[in-house]
Amino acid sequence: MSNISFDFLNESILFQKAEDNYKNISLEELTQALDKYKSYIKEKKEDIEKELIDGNLKIIQSLQQHPEKPSMAEILQGSLFLDKYLIDDPLFSYNLADAELINANNRIMGFKEKTDDDFKKELSTNALYMKNLVDGVRCDTAYIKFYPFSLGFQSERIPHMRVPDLSIDDIDKNIYNWFNEKIEVMNFDNQNRSNNALSISNHIGMRFNGDFGSKCNFARYQKPTNIFEQAGKLYMVIDPNYIPEKDEYDNWVHQEVITTIKEKFNFFIYRHNICSKLNSPVILNNEFEKQFYEMQFSTKKSNVHTLGFDLNIPGLQNLNFKEAMEVRRSSFESFRSFQNELQNDSILLSSVNDEKQYDELITEIQHKYENASKNVTSKLGMTKSIASDNIINIAIAAISYYNTPLLATGVISGLSLLDAIRKGRKDYLNTVKNPFYFYKKIKQSSSKN
């Protein structure tokens, strides 16, 4: 393994006992194992970063605002053109030590407390997610890296009672106003449906116009109807149907808007710092992010581009991750060329602001890939017979023909055949180095699954 986190986890109960949700293992034991792992990662943080920084420019998938484990489909898509795919280490960011704090908060808010088995299942889900990506972590692939992002970034919405920090002194006034103009507040009814006819509700969602791909921030108005103590524990009863008065509603929405803007701003700054540290261009997902980045950092366009996750690459839906990694290893030279092709097309996509032109360009790129794949298939068909494993036998036959009594004819025919073999071999090798040879192999592997 080249991923430093796996060097520890392979010998830890965090991996070894994850399949049965840590049955017969106490939370105390798991907490100790998790604490040891976190201490190890903190100690090895510089070594982890050395694996990512080698002096060359790397394309690295950046942390999302709402850190979630990326889906296998997203990882497969990224595996075709990213040098590294950095995933927020789900074990490092999980905190069993806060179990009692979380349950105390649930009691106060009137929610159901989590059991030990609930915490164990959450932990095992994170551990198994990491284990299932081992084919991307292997040293001969070295594509996926788990990075402790949570060392430097904490969400504003930490689950315990506290007065919200509504200070915006660290945000430039013009940028804050830009965020404020972009944010949209939606009211939801008691069926959790967005309803524009509602002027006041106790359930709201907030999103930024143009911030496609990011999730809404949701909030509920929580007004306690009763607070009492029982068996030394504090409980709060919430009326889920209570609708705030207009002044209450306006004040609540104002606080949630500020909190949402701060979360988004802090995330952008944190992502910029991480990408700068790892010598990676900032990967922007939409025009909203691009506008912010250019306002905040006055960046050069060459350092700001979007990777082509919108490209529809046929076959990925059925492709097995292990199979994809095997094809990547077996056709590495062709893969590297295909990766460069995709990266260049992705940078081209990022320069288009018009939605119609963007869709047209994506369609054009996809047609290019399909046509190039057919061209590779055609060339392989022509060269396969003389560039196969029987090339030595063919060469021997050619030399035998060269030694025939008809010397003049033999010289011409024998050398001509040898030249044809050499040319066929050269054409074959050039074809398998073609970037779309890798694309062809990926599609073939997909059809098997």
Side-chain angles (χ1 to χ4, degrees), residues 193-380:
R193 297 171 300 193
S194 177
N195 189 339
N196 293 331
L198 290 175
S199 59
I200 293 177
S201 74
N202 62 357
H203 183 196
I204 61 173
M206 290 150 290
R207 64 184 175 197
F208 295 97
N209 289 323
D211 190 18
F212 304 113
S214 292
K215 293 185 177 181
C216 290
N217 276 1
F218 294 101
R220 287 186 179 274
Y221 191 80
Q222 311 243 343
K223 183 170 183 176
T225 58
N226 188 22
I227 300 177
F228 62 93
E229 186 176 337
Q230 182 175 322
K233 295 181 178 180
L234 190 64
Y235 291 85
M236 177 185 294
V237 179
I238 302 292
D239 180 2
N241 299 315
Y242 177 80
I243 305 297
E245 299 292 335
K246 187 177 187 312
D247 288 347
E248 288 179 292
Y249 173 84
D250 290 343
N251 183 55
W252 170 53
V253 169
H254 177 66
Q255 291 187 19
E256 293 296 338
V257 164
I258 292 176
T259 301
T260 300
I261 290 175
K262 287 189 65 174
E263 281 184 350
K264 181 68 78 170
F265 176 82
N266 289 336
F267 162 69
F268 282 158
I269 298 299
Y270 173 67
R271 180 174 63 176
H272 170 75
N273 292 338
I274 285 288
C275 289
S276 297
K277 186 172 187 177
L278 299 180
N279 194 28
S280 169
V282 176
I283 302 168
L284 303 182
N285 299 307
N286 49 53
E287 186 63 23
F288 171 81
E289 294 189 2
K290 186 176 180 181
Q291 288 178 16
F292 168 82
Y293 203 87
E294 291 177 346
M295 284 191 303
Q296 176 72 24
F297 300 109
S298 301
T299 183
K300 296 178 181 178
K301 288 194 174 183
S302 61
N303 197 40
V304 181
H305 61 272
T306 305
L307 290 175
F309 279 99
D310 290 342
L311 285 172
N312 176 26
I313 301 176
L316 286 186
Q317 297 84 350
N318 303 318
L319 189 60
N320 176 278
F321 182 70
K322 182 177 181 179
E323 185 79 20
M325 294 296 101
E326 288 177 356
V327 174
R328 177 173 164 161
R329 287 191 291 270
S330 64
S331 307
F332 189 75
E333 190 172 355
S334 176
F335 158 70
R336 275 299 190 197
S337 300
F338 182 75
Q339 183 189 56
N340 291 334
E341 192 81 22
L342 268 173
Q343 289 176 359
N344 290 334
D345 285 334
S346 299
I347 293 171
L348 181 62
L349 278 170
S350 71
S351 65
V352 179
N353 296 325
D354 180 81
E355 187 174 346
K356 182 180 178 182
Q357 288 181 334
Y358 187 85
D359 291 340
E360 289 175 349
L361 184 56
I362 280 184
T363 302
E364 182 182 326
I365 291 171
Q366 287 170 180
H367 285 160
K368 179 187 76 172
Y369 290 176
E370 287 300 300
N371 292 334
S373 177
K374 292 176 183 176
N375 187 40
V376 166
T377 303
S378 175
K379 285 186 176 181
L380 285 173

Side-chain angles (χ1 to χ4, degrees), residues 94-109 111-114 119 122 159-160:
Y94 191 78
N95 198 349
L96 273 177
D98 282 346
E100 181 54 37
L101 179 62
I102 291 170
N103 274 337
N105 181 71
N106 287 343
R107 288 193 298 271
I108 292 170
M109 302 305 290
F111 300 145
K112 182 180 177 181
E113 294 185 36
K114 288 185 176 182
F119 287 111
E122 289 177 357
H160 58 80

Side-chain angles (χ1 to χ4, degrees), residues 365-406:
I365 291 171
Q366 287 170 180
H367 285 160
K368 179 187 76 172
Y369 290 176
E370 287 300 300
N371 292 334
S373 177
K374 292 176 183 176
N375 187 40
V376 166
T377 303
S378 175
K379 285 186 176 181
L380 285 173
M382 290 189 298
T383 60
K384 186 175 182 180
S385 60
I386 58 175
S388 66
D389 293 338
N390 294 321
I391 188 170
I392 295 176
N393 293 330
I394 297 173
I396 291 172
I399 293 171
S400 299
Y401 188 72
Y402 170 78
N403 291 322
T404 58
L406 300 174

